[in-house]
């Protein structure tokens, strides 16, 4: 069997290898999942709920282990990695309440009784990216399992370790064998087989818009369901009446968290012209305080980029651009890049329009509310964003006008496991998390029972 090297991005060194499955192994795993589905769907809702709660407890018992594994494999800061392990635990606990509440409806009809059922789909294929390997895996496999499906999950080649460990912990928690399988390997082999194999009835993909389009096109051949969470180029809009100090203090984390490798990163910073210079001065002070260092350190705000290739891509956008100021980053081994603030000459600059996926933010002034909305919407993406203002009416007007799936006012948060998450336009299709995500892993069946003469 082929293997893939796993590299620590903080020092560029290989520290382990994992198997890279081929087509035959992938087909065999899908077949095992199809066989397991028949039994798993018949597990009583209360028993399925208890297994998910037990899984959450086992994740909690291995909380620090999972976090440290993510620090080493993905270069995430220890603070972020602990949040991510906790998010998997919390998502498991949240959807553990779902099996016993997955109720249909009774619809009034003449001549009988009409009821609906939410039936599980079967085998669900989940393709996870390298930027947030743990939580994004959980957002897919947990509601799928809660709804009665079996899951095959392909982690990113660069960051497979926490997903592999979660599959081991699922067995330790008592989930039946083959209900949740992790299949490391190439996207062109394992991921593509999820798309083409007829037993896989839904594909959940998080990643680039270009790859998402190809997956959607492939799934169309079998009328296969898809959930897509794709790219982003989110706007952070700061109005003159905002608490500028608070907005400037929050702005570095909004774009540099996880070294900017976040589809929700507020990488377009729009500032009202009348306070542009004042805000930029405050922003510079806060960027200077943002600590890029060894991700295992409790003091680190930002770790390295995931790979040398990603670092080269990010550097390509900065070279030749108008750099307003930069933070600091370690030198030497590892895929480090400093937090960087660029001044956009116009809304046509590549660094303003394209998703860089690195610690780079582009700044542009706007004149009024109408121009802020126009600039925010002038993108093919629509995933997240922020609005900073003290005017409640403006907050509501702009929130309704900006074309994006998740917005925060006077905050930069995008994700809560109990609220819906997903994008508009080319940022994706469908919603993850929240009370309704479970339903996307089911089909509605309608049953009419005649009362006779």
């Amino acid at each position: 069997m082929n293997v893939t090297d796993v590299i620590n991005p903080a020092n560029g060194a290989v520290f382990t290898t994992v198997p890279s499955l081929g087509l035959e192994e992938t087909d065999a795993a899908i077949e095992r999942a199809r066989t397991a589905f028949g039994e798993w769907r018949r597990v009583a809702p209360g028993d399925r709920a208890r297994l998910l709660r037990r899984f959450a407890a086992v994740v909690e018992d291995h909380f620090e282990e999972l976090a440290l594994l993510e620090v080493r494999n993905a270069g995430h800061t220890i603070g972020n990695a602990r949040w991510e392990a906790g998010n998997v635990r919390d998502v498991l606990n949240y959807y553990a309440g779902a099996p016993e509440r997955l109720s249909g409806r009774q619809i009034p009809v003449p001549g009988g009784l009409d009821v609906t059922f939410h039936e599980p789909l079967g085998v669900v294929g989940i393709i996870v990216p390298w930027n947030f390997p743990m939580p994004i895996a959980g957002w897919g496999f947990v509601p799928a399992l809660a709804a009665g499906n079996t899951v095959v999950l392909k982690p990113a080649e660069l960051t497979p370790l926490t997903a592999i460990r979660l599959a081991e912990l699922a067995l330790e928690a008592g989930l039946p064998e083959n209900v949740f399988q992790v299949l490391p390997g190439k996207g062109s082999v394992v991921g593509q087989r999820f798309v083409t194999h007829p037993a896989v009835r839904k594909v959940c993909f998080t990643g680039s818009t270009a790859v998402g389009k190809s997956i959607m096109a492939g799934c169309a051949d079998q009328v296969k369901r898809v959930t897509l969470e794709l790219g982003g180029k989110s706007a952070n809009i700061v109005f003159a009446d905002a608490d500028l100090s608070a907005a400037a203090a929050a702005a570095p984390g909004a774009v540099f968290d996880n070294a900017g490798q976040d589809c929700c990163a507020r990488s377009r910073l729009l500032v009202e012209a009348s306070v542009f210079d004042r805000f930029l001065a405050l922003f510079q002070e806060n960027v200077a305080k943002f600590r890029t260092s060894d991700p295992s350190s409790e003091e680190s705000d930002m770790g390295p980029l995931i790979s040398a290739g990603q670092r080269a891509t990010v550097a390509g956008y900065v070279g030749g651009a108008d750099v307003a100021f930069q933070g600091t980053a370690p030198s030497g081994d590892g895929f480090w890049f400093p937090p960087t603030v660029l001044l956009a000459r116009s809304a046509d600059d590549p660094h303003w329009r394209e998703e860089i996926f690195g610690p780079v933010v582009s700044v542009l002034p706007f004149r009024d509310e109408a121009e802020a909305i126009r600039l925010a919407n002038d993108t093919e993406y629509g995933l997240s964003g922020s609005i900073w203002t003290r005017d409640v009416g403006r907050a509501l007007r702009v929130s309704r006008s900006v074309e994006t799936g998740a917005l925060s006012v006077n905050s930069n948060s995008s994700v809560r496991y109990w609220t819906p998450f997903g994008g508009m336009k080319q940022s994706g299709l469908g919603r993850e998390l929240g009370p309704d995500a479970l339903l996307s892993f089911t089909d509605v069946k309608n049953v009419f029972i005649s009362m006779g003469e």
Side-chain angles (χ1 to χ4, degrees), residues 59-238:
V59 169
E60 173 68 20
D61 290 342
H62 294 267
F63 178 87
E64 193 71 5
E65 173 200 342
L66 288 165
L68 291 171
L69 196 59
E70 206 71 296
V71 170
R72 197 175 185 193
N73 188 185
H76 291 189
T77 64
I78 184 62
N80 280 7
R82 286 175 180 143
W83 179 91
E84 291 155 18
N87 183 261
V88 175
R89 173 203 61 211
D90 293 343
V91 169
L92 279 161
N93 276 320
Y94 180 76
Y95 286 108
E100 294 167 291
R101 294 166 176 80
L102 189 57
S103 56
R105 294 186 297 172
Q106 182 268 316
I107 302 171
V109 295
L113 174 71
D114 196 277
V115 292
T116 64
F117 299 91
H118 289 285
E119 302 285 11
L121 301 173
V123 180
V124 173
I126 297 170
I127 303 171
V128 177
W130 50 257
N131 61 326
F132 289 105
M134 254 198 298
I136 291 177
W139 302 351
F141 78 75
V142 176
L145 293 174
N149 303 280
T150 54
V151 170
V152 287
L153 184 147
K154 194 203 87 66
E157 291 171 68
L158 293 170
T159 55
L161 298 184
T162 47
I164 291 171
R165 187 66 180 127
L166 284 169
E168 295 169 350
L169 296 179
L171 293 175
E172 185 177 321
L175 267 71
E177 197 170 3
N178 300 320
V179 165
F180 173 41
Q181 300 175 77
V182 171
L183 314 181
K186 292 183 178 295
S188 58
V189 178
V190 180
Q192 183 61 21
R193 193 57 178 140
F194 292 176
V195 173
T196 60
H197 198 298
V200 178
R201 296 311 309 146
K202 177 171 181 172
V203 173
C204 299
F205 171 79
T206 301
S208 73
T209 297
V211 175
K213 288 178 180 179
S214 70
I215 287 173
M216 188 174 181
C219 287
D221 186 58
Q222 297 175 16
V223 196
K224 186 175 297 190
R225 290 157 184 77
V226 290
T227 295
L228 303 174
E229 197 270 277
L230 307 176
K233 193 68 176 176
S234 298
N236 190 358
I237 307 171
V238 180

Side-chain angles (χ1 to χ4, degrees), residues 10 51 107 159 245 264 269 310 348 361 396 448-449 453:
L51 285 169
I107 302 171
T159 55
S245 294
C264 293
L269 182 53
Q310 188 63 21
D348 294 324
V361 61
L396 291 170
F448 171 73
I449 304 170
E453 294 296 330

